Amino acid sequence: MPTDQLPRQCLGFFPTPLMPLRRLTERFGGPQVYIKRDDQTGLALGGNKTRKLEFILGDALAAGADTIVTAGAAQSNHCRQTAAAAAMLGLECHLVLGGQEPETAGGNLLLDQLFGCHIHWTGEHRKGEDIPQIVDYLKSAGKKPYVVPYGGSSELGALSFVAALKELDSQCREYDLAFSHIVFASSSGGTHAGLMLGRKLLELDCEIVGINIDKDESGGTPFDQHILDLANRSATLIGGEFQFDNSDLQLNGDYVGGGYGVVGDAERRAIEFMARSEGILLDPVYTGRAMAGLIDLLRQKKFGSEDRILFWHTGGAPALFAYADTLNISDPPPI
Ligand SMILES: Cc1ncc(COP(=O)(O)O)c(C=O)c1O
């Protein structure tokens, strides 16, 4: 089944803008660098999850769900966009957030509260461990819950990025552009799996380069295997008769630094450079790290001067307001 026949609920504004990054390009004097602004998807301060939720919540509504349950970190962008989408659709929303409730709610957590969702703190429990009990409780209360997987990285979430690549492809045709590389933050794998699958289906000659954000393996499965499995399951869902293997996957693990959410100098400089030179906000956890990786690859001249690079901005800026202390923006921004 083609992706345009899947149930889809409109939640954002598409296509998102495609723009040149002139000062970043000038700074390194090599390949041209562009940006795809999924921070501007329009749903509650934007982000890549808006695309995934259009397909996932389309499925939830088709299944008759009245309550959405999902999980993430306290500063999850996925949870914030899910809470906003649920509010927009008149659905009850339950967020299962990792750790203890902080004394003050800032950034994404403040917005979660504003969207009126129910928040369950996991304390010491592993991520997702509490979801079955919450689902049982909701069913016993007569609700019809629908669980959105961590990061929205189900097959439907991945397929939304096949549609996203089609969107980019038509912008490229309109502006007579072609990209040799697409660079982005990869964390729960849905964006990555979808872009890989889209590249295959559209027969694009473009490298899909995920910058790994997190040291931890996904549920015990190595992250590269998790992305391949998801890409293969998503392909099967739309009738694809091929299998991806390791030779199809580019996952760069060189920039995980101090681990998930630990802001180092590389992220700080990337965030400052993009703010001060391009007027664009990156986030401390995902896009700041992915841009730090891209800047390092540009500095190391890993791309040819004929290459054209797309940085896919996947959102996350609301988390900046929860990282005010660690960002320490008084330093000058040398990159
Ligand atoms: C801002 C941002 N960028 C990138 C990602 C990673 O996308 P994916 O989970 O599809 O790998 C996330 C995931 O939460 C995110 O919030």
Side-chain angles (χ1 to χ4, degrees), residues 48-49 52 77-78 81 151 153 185-192 223 283 286-287 314-316:
N48 61 340
K49 309 305 179 197
K52 297 180 178 189
N77 300 298
H78 161 68
Q81 285 165 92
S153 283
S186 190
S187 175
S188 67
T191 304
H192 204 153
F223 187 45
D283 83 284
Y286 301 94
T287 52
T314 46

PDB file of all heavy atoms in Angstrom, residues 48-49 52 77-78 81 151 153 185-192 223 283 286-287 314-316, ligand 1:
ATOM      1  N   ASN A  48      10.096  16.981  14.323  1.00  0.00           N
ATOM      2  CA  ASN A  48       9.880  15.849  13.417  1.00  0.00           C
ATOM      3  C   ASN A  48       8.721  14.949  13.843  1.00  0.00           C
ATOM      4  O   ASN A  48       8.158  14.221  13.031  1.00  0.00           O
ATOM      5  CB  ASN A  48      11.174  15.016  13.258  1.00  0.00           C
ATOM      6  CG  ASN A  48      11.682  14.401  14.546  1.00  0.00           C
ATOM      7  OD1 ASN A  48      11.338  14.837  15.635  1.00  0.00           O
ATOM      8  ND2 ASN A  48      12.520  13.374  14.420  1.00  0.00           N
ATOM      9  N   LYS A  49       8.334  14.996  15.129  1.00  0.00           N
ATOM     10  CA  LYS A  49       7.259  14.102  15.591  1.00  0.00           C
ATOM     11  C   LYS A  49       5.907  14.486  15.009  1.00  0.00           C
ATOM     12  O   LYS A  49       4.999  13.653  14.957  1.00  0.00           O
ATOM     13  CB  LYS A  49       7.174  14.087  17.115  1.00  0.00           C
ATOM     14  CG  LYS A  49       8.487  13.833  17.810  1.00  0.00           C
ATOM     15  CD  LYS A  49       9.166  12.564  17.347  1.00  0.00           C
ATOM     16  CE  LYS A  49      10.489  12.410  18.078  1.00  0.00           C
ATOM     17  NZ  LYS A  49      11.407  11.490  17.486  1.00  0.00           N
ATOM     18  N   LYS A  52       5.339  12.164  12.201  1.00  0.00           N
ATOM     19  CA  LYS A  52       5.031  10.793  12.627  1.00  0.00           C
ATOM     20  C   LYS A  52       3.601  10.715  13.187  1.00  0.00           C
ATOM     21  O   LYS A  52       2.855   9.779  12.904  1.00  0.00           O
ATOM     22  CB  LYS A  52       6.014  10.354  13.709  1.00  0.00           C
ATOM     23  CG  LYS A  52       7.467  10.292  13.257  1.00  0.00           C
ATOM     24  CD  LYS A  52       8.332   9.848  14.427  1.00  0.00           C
ATOM     25  CE  LYS A  52       9.790   9.705  14.040  1.00  0.00           C
ATOM     26  NZ  LYS A  52      10.582   9.076  15.095  1.00  0.00           N
ATOM     27  N   ASN A  77      10.537  15.934  23.338  1.00  0.00           N
ATOM     28  CA  ASN A  77       9.837  16.710  22.303  1.00  0.00           C
ATOM     29  C   ASN A  77       8.679  15.913  21.740  1.00  0.00           C
ATOM     30  O   ASN A  77       7.646  16.462  21.364  1.00  0.00           O
ATOM     31  CB  ASN A  77      10.804  17.052  21.171  1.00  0.00           C
ATOM     32  CG  ASN A  77      11.967  17.876  21.667  1.00  0.00           C
ATOM     33  OD1 ASN A  77      11.763  18.975  22.155  1.00  0.00           O
ATOM     34  ND2 ASN A  77      13.175  17.333  21.577  1.00  0.00           N
ATOM     35  N   HIS A  78       8.881  14.599  21.675  1.00  0.00           N
ATOM     36  CA  HIS A  78       7.822  13.696  21.193  1.00  0.00           C
ATOM     37  C   HIS A  78       6.591  13.801  22.099  1.00  0.00           C
ATOM     38  O   HIS A  78       5.455  13.895  21.611  1.00  0.00           O
ATOM     39  CB  HIS A  78       8.369  12.267  21.164  1.00  0.00           C
ATOM     40  CG  HIS A  78       7.313  11.233  21.134  1.00  0.00           C
ATOM     41  ND1 HIS A  78       6.486  11.059  20.049  1.00  0.00           N
ATOM     42  CD2 HIS A  78       6.917  10.316  22.073  1.00  0.00           C
ATOM     43  CE1 HIS A  78       5.625  10.079  20.305  1.00  0.00           C
ATOM     44  NE2 HIS A  78       5.863   9.624  21.520  1.00  0.00           N
ATOM     45  N   GLN A  81       4.738  17.157  21.608  1.00  0.00           N
ATOM     46  CA  GLN A  81       3.935  17.237  20.380  1.00  0.00           C
ATOM     47  C   GLN A  81       2.739  16.287  20.447  1.00  0.00           C
ATOM     48  O   GLN A  81       1.664  16.592  19.915  1.00  0.00           O
ATOM     49  CB  GLN A  81       4.808  16.933  19.161  1.00  0.00           C
ATOM     50  CG  GLN A  81       5.718  18.115  18.829  1.00  0.00           C
ATOM     51  CD  GLN A  81       6.826  17.715  17.874  1.00  0.00           C
ATOM     52  OE1 GLN A  81       6.684  17.823  16.667  1.00  0.00           O
ATOM     53  NE2 GLN A  81       7.927  17.230  18.426  1.00  0.00           N
ATOM     54  N   GLY A 151       9.225   7.765  21.047  1.00  0.00           N
ATOM     55  CA  GLY A 151       9.724   8.564  19.918  1.00  0.00           C
ATOM     56  C   GLY A 151       8.851   8.483  18.677  1.00  0.00           C
ATOM     57  O   GLY A 151       9.211   8.984  17.612  1.00  0.00           O
ATOM     58  N   SER A 153       8.436   5.952  16.971  1.00  0.00           N
ATOM     59  CA  SER A 153       9.189   5.173  15.982  1.00  0.00           C
ATOM     60  C   SER A 153       8.591   3.789  15.736  1.00  0.00           C
ATOM     61  O   SER A 153       9.226   2.758  15.972  1.00  0.00           O
ATOM     62  CB  SER A 153      10.665   5.097  16.384  1.00  0.00           C
ATOM     63  OG  SER A 153      11.271   6.329  16.061  1.00  0.00           O
ATOM     64  N   ALA A 185      19.753  14.152  13.273  1.00  0.00           N
ATOM     65  CA  ALA A 185      19.889  13.486  14.575  1.00  0.00           C
ATOM     66  C   ALA A 185      19.092  12.188  14.570  1.00  0.00           C
ATOM     67  O   ALA A 185      17.918  12.186  14.209  1.00  0.00           O
ATOM     68  CB  ALA A 185      19.360  14.404  15.672  1.00  0.00           C
ATOM     69  N   SER A 186      19.722  11.090  15.003  1.00  0.00           N
ATOM     70  CA  SER A 186      19.032   9.796  15.043  1.00  0.00           C
ATOM     71  C   SER A 186      19.004   9.296  16.478  1.00  0.00           C
ATOM     72  O   SER A 186      20.043   9.207  17.130  1.00  0.00           O
ATOM     73  CB  SER A 186      19.790   8.803  14.142  1.00  0.00           C
ATOM     74  OG  SER A 186      19.047   7.631  13.973  1.00  0.00           O
ATOM     75  N   SER A 187      17.800   8.975  16.968  1.00  0.00           N
ATOM     76  CA  SER A 187      17.705   8.585  18.382  1.00  0.00           C
ATOM     77  C   SER A 187      16.786   7.393  18.628  1.00  0.00           C
ATOM     78  O   SER A 187      17.198   6.404  19.209  1.00  0.00           O
ATOM     79  CB  SER A 187      17.239   9.786  19.201  1.00  0.00           C
ATOM     80  OG  SER A 187      17.031   9.438  20.519  1.00  0.00           O
ATOM     81  N   SER A 188      15.517   7.467  18.209  1.00  0.00           N
ATOM     82  CA  SER A 188      14.690   6.263  18.356  1.00  0.00           C
ATOM     83  C   SER A 188      14.567   5.553  17.001  1.00  0.00           C
ATOM     84  O   SER A 188      13.966   4.488  16.910  1.00  0.00           O
ATOM     85  CB  SER A 188      13.314   6.586  18.955  1.00  0.00           C
ATOM     86  OG  SER A 188      12.532   7.355  18.070  1.00  0.00           O
ATOM     87  N   GLY A 189      15.127   6.121  15.957  1.00  0.00           N
ATOM     88  CA  GLY A 189      15.335   5.418  14.690  1.00  0.00           C
ATOM     89  C   GLY A 189      14.286   5.600  13.611  1.00  0.00           C
ATOM     90  O   GLY A 189      14.520   5.222  12.461  1.00  0.00           O
ATOM     91  N   GLY A 190      13.131   6.199  13.943  1.00  0.00           N
ATOM     92  CA  GLY A 190      12.058   6.292  12.950  1.00  0.00           C
ATOM     93  C   GLY A 190      12.394   7.221  11.790  1.00  0.00           C
ATOM     94  O   GLY A 190      12.098   6.909  10.627  1.00  0.00           O
ATOM     95  N   THR A 191      12.998   8.354  12.105  1.00  0.00           N
ATOM     96  CA  THR A 191      13.384   9.290  11.048  1.00  0.00           C
ATOM     97  C   THR A 191      14.378   8.606  10.109  1.00  0.00           C
ATOM     98  O   THR A 191      14.253   8.665   8.877  1.00  0.00           O
ATOM     99  CB  THR A 191      14.024  10.548  11.692  1.00  0.00           C
ATOM    100  OG1 THR A 191      13.087  11.091  12.623  1.00  0.00           O
ATOM    101  CG2 THR A 191      14.407  11.585  10.659  1.00  0.00           C
ATOM    102  N   HIS A 192      15.343   7.956  10.713  1.00  0.00           N
ATOM    103  CA  HIS A 192      16.416   7.305   9.960  1.00  0.00           C
ATOM    104  C   HIS A 192      15.860   6.185   9.058  1.00  0.00           C
ATOM    105  O   HIS A 192      16.143   6.133   7.848  1.00  0.00           O
ATOM    106  CB  HIS A 192      17.405   6.723  10.979  1.00  0.00           C
ATOM    107  CG  HIS A 192      18.781   6.544  10.438  1.00  0.00           C
ATOM    108  ND1 HIS A 192      19.887   6.570  11.236  1.00  0.00           N
ATOM    109  CD2 HIS A 192      19.235   6.317   9.192  1.00  0.00           C
ATOM    110  CE1 HIS A 192      20.963   6.387  10.493  1.00  0.00           C
ATOM    111  NE2 HIS A 192      20.587   6.215   9.255  1.00  0.00           N
ATOM    112  N   PHE A 223      21.694  -0.340  18.250  1.00  0.00           N
ATOM    113  CA  PHE A 223      20.860   0.676  17.600  1.00  0.00           C
ATOM    114  C   PHE A 223      20.848   0.521  16.080  1.00  0.00           C
ATOM    115  O   PHE A 223      19.817   0.692  15.431  1.00  0.00           O
ATOM    116  CB  PHE A 223      21.328   2.078  18.022  1.00  0.00           C
ATOM    117  CG  PHE A 223      20.430   3.175  17.529  1.00  0.00           C
ATOM    118  CD1 PHE A 223      19.046   3.076  17.625  1.00  0.00           C
ATOM    119  CD2 PHE A 223      20.964   4.319  16.958  1.00  0.00           C
ATOM    120  CE1 PHE A 223      18.206   4.090  17.159  1.00  0.00           C
ATOM    121  CE2 PHE A 223      20.142   5.337  16.488  1.00  0.00           C
ATOM    122  CZ  PHE A 223      18.767   5.226  16.590  1.00  0.00           C
ATOM    123  N   ASP A 283      18.480  22.634  19.328  1.00  0.00           N
ATOM    124  CA  ASP A 283      18.173  22.212  20.699  1.00  0.00           C
ATOM    125  C   ASP A 283      19.413  21.579  21.342  1.00  0.00           C
ATOM    126  O   ASP A 283      20.334  21.158  20.642  1.00  0.00           O
ATOM    127  CB  ASP A 283      16.987  21.245  20.704  1.00  0.00           C
ATOM    128  CG  ASP A 283      17.400  19.830  20.400  1.00  0.00           C
ATOM    129  OD1 ASP A 283      17.665  19.526  19.226  1.00  0.00           O
ATOM    130  OD2 ASP A 283      17.529  19.037  21.343  1.00  0.00           O
ATOM    131  N   TYR A 286      19.409  17.056  20.666  1.00  0.00           N
ATOM    132  CA  TYR A 286      19.393  16.371  19.370  1.00  0.00           C
ATOM    133  C   TYR A 286      20.068  17.195  18.264  1.00  0.00           C
ATOM    134  O   TYR A 286      21.132  16.832  17.765  1.00  0.00           O
ATOM    135  CB  TYR A 286      17.952  16.048  18.951  1.00  0.00           C
ATOM    136  CG  TYR A 286      17.214  15.171  19.925  1.00  0.00           C
ATOM    137  CD1 TYR A 286      16.412  15.712  20.928  1.00  0.00           C
ATOM    138  CD2 TYR A 286      17.326  13.786  19.867  1.00  0.00           C
ATOM    139  CE1 TYR A 286      15.734  14.911  21.823  1.00  0.00           C
ATOM    140  CE2 TYR A 286      16.652  12.975  20.763  1.00  0.00           C
ATOM    141  CZ  TYR A 286      15.858  13.539  21.745  1.00  0.00           C
ATOM    142  OH  TYR A 286      15.197  12.740  22.625  1.00  0.00           O
ATOM    143  N   THR A 287      19.423  18.297  17.877  1.00  0.00           N
ATOM    144  CA  THR A 287      19.928  19.015  16.694  1.00  0.00           C
ATOM    145  C   THR A 287      21.232  19.751  16.987  1.00  0.00           C
ATOM    146  O   THR A 287      22.049  19.935  16.077  1.00  0.00           O
ATOM    147  CB  THR A 287      18.862  19.998  16.160  1.00  0.00           C
ATOM    148  OG1 THR A 287      18.411  20.833  17.235  1.00  0.00           O
ATOM    149  CG2 THR A 287      17.682  19.246  15.595  1.00  0.00           C
ATOM    150  N   THR A 314      15.293  18.731  12.995  1.00  0.00           N
ATOM    151  CA  THR A 314      14.182  17.921  13.504  1.00  0.00           C
ATOM    152  C   THR A 314      13.489  18.563  14.708  1.00  0.00           C
ATOM    153  O   THR A 314      12.645  17.931  15.344  1.00  0.00           O
ATOM    154  CB  THR A 314      14.696  16.518  13.856  1.00  0.00           C
ATOM    155  OG1 THR A 314      15.917  16.661  14.595  1.00  0.00           O
ATOM    156  CG2 THR A 314      14.954  15.689  12.603  1.00  0.00           C
ATOM    157  N   GLY A 315      13.843  19.810  15.034  1.00  0.00           N
ATOM    158  CA  GLY A 315      13.113  20.536  16.093  1.00  0.00           C
ATOM    159  C   GLY A 315      13.799  20.498  17.442  1.00  0.00           C
ATOM    160  O   GLY A 315      15.009  20.316  17.531  1.00  0.00           O
ATOM    161  N   GLY A 316      13.014  20.693  18.507  1.00  0.00           N
ATOM    162  CA  GLY A 316      13.527  20.526  19.875  1.00  0.00           C
ATOM    163  C   GLY A 316      13.828  21.804  20.631  1.00  0.00           C
ATOM    164  O   GLY A 316      14.142  21.746  21.828  1.00  0.00           O
TER     165      GLY A 316
HETATM  166  C1  LIG B   1      14.388  17.262  18.232  1.00  0.00           C
HETATM  167  C2  LIG B   1      14.582  15.831  17.880  1.00  0.00           C
HETATM  168  N1  LIG B   1      15.406  15.520  16.865  1.00  0.00           N
HETATM  169  C3  LIG B   1      15.623  14.244  16.505  1.00  0.00           C
HETATM  170  C4  LIG B   1      15.021  13.199  17.179  1.00  0.00           C
HETATM  171  C5  LIG B   1      15.325  11.815  16.732  1.00  0.00           C
HETATM  172  O1  LIG B   1      14.370  11.322  15.862  1.00  0.00           O
HETATM  173  P1  LIG B   1      14.061   9.755  15.888  1.00  0.00           P
HETATM  174  O2  LIG B   1      13.485   9.498  17.241  1.00  0.00           O
HETATM  175  O3  LIG B   1      13.120   9.536  14.782  1.00  0.00           O
HETATM  176  O4  LIG B   1      15.367   9.037  15.713  1.00  0.00           O
HETATM  177  C6  LIG B   1      14.158  13.474  18.248  1.00  0.00           C
HETATM  178  C7  LIG B   1      13.535  12.374  18.997  1.00  0.00           C
HETATM  179  O5  LIG B   1      12.999  12.517  20.027  1.00  0.00           O
HETATM  180  C8  LIG B   1      13.923  14.825  18.600  1.00  0.00           C
HETATM  181  O6  LIG B   1      13.111  15.149  19.611  1.00  0.00           O
END
